[in-house]
Amino acid sequence: MEMVEEKELQNEYYDVKMLSVSSVKKFLQNPLRALDDWNGVFPWFSESSTQALIYGNYVHSAIQDALEETDEHLNEFKEEHPSMFKKDGTMYAKYNEADIVANAYLNSKAFQNLVKYIHEPNKELFVEKAFQSVYQGVPYKGKLDVMIVDKKLKKVHCIDFKTSRTYPSSGIDWYVTYNGDKTKGQVIWDVTKLYPVQAGVYRNLLNQNGYEGYNVEYSYIVLTKEKTPRIDVWKISDKAMDKGFDIFKQALVDANTYITEDVPVPAINDDSEWAKRRTWDNPNVLVVED
């Protein structure tokens, strides 16, 4: 697969079929399900999980508008999801929690401090900035939520906004690792999150695209999906980003192998709609011993 021009990548990011951070994370979760999604056999997101995705997209659009001082992104969201809104433009009650979460953050001291930081001298703000690179002949892409560049200090502060089901405020809980083990630790290493993997990849993309030698800091601002949301800031260390990028590199090569070669592809019974439909042809066999 050839690399694409930067202008094309920025304008047509989602139309350029290339492995990305998000698609590789799917292959880490469930290789065969991810392959079926990649090939258009069966979509990764079911109706229920699409609702969760829409929830996050709404919050993300509201934050992006506030940072860029526009209403463009929420207007686009409303055009894409008209069934969520009444004729007067307000949201139906069953979707209202997304608006509560977005406004809780936008009215918080944390957001005010971020805006102040962005407007400090020598700071340049980039929102939804796309990059691409290649590893062992496999091109990949990624799009940063927010990056704040200080060329004078040679520093880039990257920020990603996430919504999440609630978890303990310590950040410590039981989770499933990318290799299928269940363990207790920082939940951002859960195979459905893997924030350090994403951060490690984006740090590398920056190094490969004009920011070599810059100090890259990476933070995740996580808003819990609750009527009274909690705001967590996860700061990803260089060591965690190193580990995350190592995980990604192997996963990228594996994903490319599954896509381009006729090899066995592991399937995880993850109780998704995809997994349940597979039982229509190959039912689960449950043996009663006594």
Side-chain angles (χ1 to χ4, degrees):
M1 184 184 295
E2 295 182 357
M3 302 290 278
V4 300
E5 295 292 333
E6 181 180 354
K7 185 176 180 180
E8 179 185 355
L9 186 69
Q10 297 296 337
N11 295 334
E12 309 294 337
Y13 180 84
Y14 296 104
D15 295 326
V16 176
K17 191 162 188 179
M18 181 189 300
L19 283 167
S20 64
V21 179
S22 58
S23 60
V24 170
K25 282 171 63 179
K26 291 176 186 174
F27 277 96
L28 274 170
Q29 289 182 64
N30 194 333
L32 186 56
R33 180 183 169 194
L35 184 63
D36 280 351
D37 178 63
W38 178 270
N39 289 329
V41 175
F42 195 87
W44 180 273
F45 293 105
S46 64
E47 184 175 346
S48 59
S49 59
T50 297
Q51 291 301 314
L53 185 66
I54 290 173
Y55 186 120
N57 286 344
Y58 177 84
V59 174
H60 186 275
S61 296
I63 294 172
Q64 190 172 348
D65 273 354
L67 288 172
E68 296 184 302
E69 299 180 345
T70 180
D71 56 8
E72 174 185 353
H73 304 290
L74 274 181
N75 284 339
E76 288 180 0
F77 182 91
K78 290 177 181 180
E79 290 177 4
E80 292 173 2
H81 306 286
S83 62
M84 293 176 61
F85 299 89
K86 302 175 184 178
K87 290 182 179 181
D88 63 2
T90 58
M91 298 180 78
Y92 283 107
K94 64 179 180 178
Y95 302 112
N96 196 46
E97 189 179 279
D99 195 48
I100 292 172
V101 170
N103 282 305
Y105 178 65
L106 295 179
N107 291 314
S108 71
K109 187 70 173 179
F111 181 72
Q112 294 171 21
N113 289 339
L114 174 60
V115 171
K116 288 179 182 178
Y117 176 71
I118 290 170
H119 288 92
E120 287 179 359
N122 303 313
K123 299 293 190 297
E124 187 174 7
L125 172 68
F126 296 90
V127 178
E128 294 284 327
K129 179 75 171 176
F131 296 100
Q132 63 180 324
S133 187
V134 62
Y135 176 73
Q136 292 191 5
V138 184
Y140 63 94
K141 63 180 180 177
K143 179 177 275 193
L144 281 81
D145 272 10
V146 172
M147 52 182 287
I148 304 158
V149 179
D150 189 325
K151 290 185 176 179
K152 185 176 180 180
L153 297 178
K154 297 197 74 174
K155 176 180 175 181
V156 183
H157 189 176
C158 302
I159 300 174
D160 211 312
F161 298 96
K162 301 288 188 184
T163 57
S164 174
R165 293 178 182 176
T166 189
Y167 52 83
S169 58
S170 64
I172 306 297
D173 204 357
W174 289 97
Y175 69 90
V176 177
T177 69
Y178 68 93
N179 54 17
D181 297 331
K182 190 169 185 179
T183 189
K184 192 170 187 179
Q186 293 184 306
V187 295
I188 59 168
W189 285 106
D190 185 272
V191 70
T192 62
K193 290 182 167 62
L194 290 176
Y195 297 168
V197 171
Q198 185 176 15
V201 176
Y202 285 137
R203 183 185 62 176
N204 185 71
L205 284 169
L206 288 168
N207 289 334
Q208 297 291 319
N209 289 275
Y211 295 95
E212 184 178 1
Y214 276 64
N215 176 30
V216 178
E217 296 181 353
Y218 217 108
S219 300
Y220 283 83
I221 296 176
V222 180
L223 312 172
T224 58
K225 297 178 178 180
E226 301 173 277
K227 291 184 178 179
T228 304
R230 190 178 73 238
I231 301 174
D232 290 343
V233 179
W234 289 86
K235 296 184 177 181
I236 314 300
S237 69
D238 285 333
K239 184 178 180 181
M241 284 190 273
D242 290 341
K243 178 181 176 181
F245 188 49
D246 285 342
I247 293 170
F248 175 83
K249 287 185 290 187
Q250 184 59 56
L252 175 71
V253 172
D254 290 344
N256 185 64
T257 300
Y258 297 143
I259 291 168
T260 60
E261 299 181 20
D262 185 15
V263 297
V265 183
I268 308 299
N269 184 7
D270 56 9
D271 205 36
S272 63
E273 185 177 333
W274 170 88
K276 291 174 182 176
R277 283 177 178 261
R278 279 170 54 81
T279 68
W280 296 2
D281 295 322
N282 299 289
N284 289 329
V285 178
L286 309 173
V287 178
V288 180
E289 297 290 352
D290 53 31

